[in-house]
Amino acid sequence: MTNTTSRKPIRKAVFPVAGMGTRFLPATKAIPKEMLPVIDRPLIQYAVDEAREAGIEQLIFVTGRGKTAIVEHFDHAFELEATMTERSKSLDVLEPTRIQPGNLVTVRQQVPLGLGHAIWCARAIVGDEPFAIFLPDELMIGQPGCMKQMVDAYNEVGGNVISVLEVPEDEVSSYGVIAPGIRNGALTEVKGLVEKPRREDAPSNLIISGRYILQPEVMRVLEGQEKGAGGEIQLTDAMARMIGTQPFHAVTFAGKRYDCGNKTGFVEATLAIALQRPDMADEVRAMMQRMLAES
Ligand code: UTP
């Protein structure tokens, strides 16, 4: 039986952006990975747009050294706006960067001890509410967006909801994989989580992608958690320990995911989005055809 009234709404989202982005060096030496633009929007902007579409109000950025550009991107740029107005340029283009005062909070992760640790750093601001997590280097394009699809599912089943994608079986060993229980359309009960299994050991071909809705109890699990794979405090380990104590479901994302944490994924996202944009699609398609014919 579903009971939509008893679910606490998802009002807060944590964006862990304290990673070092070593795969994009030297580009990310002085610029955060999350500020790399896909066409004319930094990666973080796509994630924030997706959060807002899902009704999320408060954005919590877990930042580290050299990440101030992310916060400045969402700040009021008085001089820029004054100059643009003076020159009769429209300010509409800046609209997505406007955040209601008080709705952007930053916390520092002083040492990059892993994704789980980054989330735990936001515990005081998350408080006693379920919350969303976005990994901004995973660019999710869907109609509606990935988090909106997840919030709709959460309103039905409550508890913890993660986003998953089907991949070919020979790719599972690069990802976190779910052990599925009962399936109902896009919704799958999660019975277990396995990080980077061998192909023959993988319990499914449903991989965890970078969107989560978690209950606040995960913070207590993270609190006492030992380091896992790579010497880092792993979010997957903490989630695995919540299974069985709370409802846990996966939503198969109806849309496309681009892994912008690696270089070819980033190029793919750039081309795919360019081909969807009415202001540039024709020109880019012609350019791509020309380049392919010449290569
Ligand atoms: P990644 O594994 O992609 O690491 O982190 P990274 O540092 O960003 O990139 P590479 O591998 O060195 O190129 C996944 C997400 O977790 C965050 C990252 O910012 C990214 O959003 N993260 C990771 C933290 O916030 N803190 C950490 O200690 C580790």
Side-chain angles (χ1 to χ4, degrees):
M1 198 178 87
T2 60
N3 177 1
T4 51
T5 54
S6 66
R7 317 269 177 247
K8 277 195 186 174
I10 310 299
R11 300 185 310 122
K12 300 181 179 186
V14 178
F15 299 78
V17 291
M20 291 184 291
T22 53
R23 283 171 288 171
F24 273 92
L25 283 169
T28 48
K29 188 177 170 200
I31 297 169
K33 176 170 74 175
E34 297 75 14
M35 288 303 292
L36 296 177
V38 172
I39 320 280
D40 50 10
R41 285 169 185 236
L43 280 174
I44 188 73
Q45 182 74 62
Y46 290 92
V48 165
D49 292 349
E50 186 189 323
R52 285 168 148 172
E53 182 204 12
I56 284 159
E57 293 159 17
Q58 190 175 54
L59 314 175
I60 305 165
F61 291 168
V62 182
T63 69
R65 288 170 64 80
K67 297 282 182 167
T68 42
I70 300 175
V71 180
E72 276 176 32
H73 176 75
F74 293 102
D75 205 0
H76 181 59
F78 176 77
E79 285 170 7
L80 174 68
E81 293 196 12
T83 308
M84 286 173 72
T85 306
E86 226 173 76
R87 296 181 186 171
S88 307
K89 287 188 189 294
S90 166
L91 298 179
D92 290 354
V93 74
L94 295 174
E95 201 49 43
T97 69
R98 297 188 203 288
I99 307 282
Q100 284 271 322
N103 274 350
L104 192 158
V105 183
T106 62
V107 290
R108 297 280 279 204
Q109 184 191 28
Q110 284 151 335
V111 188
L113 292 177
L115 175 59
H117 180 258
I119 302 303
W120 177 77
C121 289
R123 66 198 178 286
I125 306 174
V126 166
D128 195 25
E129 291 187 31
F131 63 104
I133 300 173
F134 289 76
L135 307 193
D137 54 4
E138 292 191 37
L139 187 43
M140 312 290 268
I141 303 292
Q143 294 279 346
C146 184
M147 187 52 70
K148 174 77 171 75
Q149 294 179 23
M150 293 169 68
V151 166
D152 288 346
Y154 167 83
N155 288 337
E156 290 295 315
V157 292
N160 302 276
V161 178
I162 59 176
S163 143
V164 292
L165 294 163
E166 272 188 60
V167 297
E169 273 162 24
D170 56 356
E171 288 178 21
V172 287
S173 49
S174 309
Y175 300 98
V177 177
I178 69 160
I182 298 166
R183 292 191 186 198
N184 179 8
L187 202 62
T188 306
E189 194 186 351
V190 178
K191 293 284 200 190
L193 299 169
V194 194
E195 196 59 52
K196 300 189 175 62
R198 292 190 311 177
R199 178 185 175 162
E200 53 277 26
D201 299 334
S204 73
N205 66 339
L206 292 173
I207 61 154
I208 307 172
S209 60
R211 302 291 185 270
Y212 313 77
I213 292 172
L214 298 180
Q215 295 297 317
E217 287 77 18
V218 73
M219 295 298 189
R220 283 198 281 283
V221 179
L222 284 165
E223 176 96 36
Q225 190 165 297
E226 303 287 320
K227 288 178 183 168
E232 297 193 331
I233 297 179
Q234 299 287 351
L235 183 61
T236 305
D237 295 346
M239 292 191 304
R241 287 167 64 187
M242 310 242 300
I243 296 168
T245 65
Q246 294 183 342
F248 213 117
H249 291 87
V251 173
T252 303
F253 172 47
K256 208 54 192 120
R257 167 217 189 231
Y258 301 98
D259 181 3
C260 291
N262 80 58
K263 289 171 233 184
T264 42
F266 197 95
V267 172
E268 186 190 10
T270 304
L271 295 174
I273 291 174
L275 288 175
Q276 285 171 11
R277 291 229 338 208
D279 59 333
M280 55 199 303
D282 291 347
E283 231 176 303
V284 172
R285 185 172 294 104
M287 178 192 75
M288 285 165 73
Q289 281 162 347
R290 206 169 48 241
M291 286 170 81
L292 286 173
E294 285 166 10
S295 67

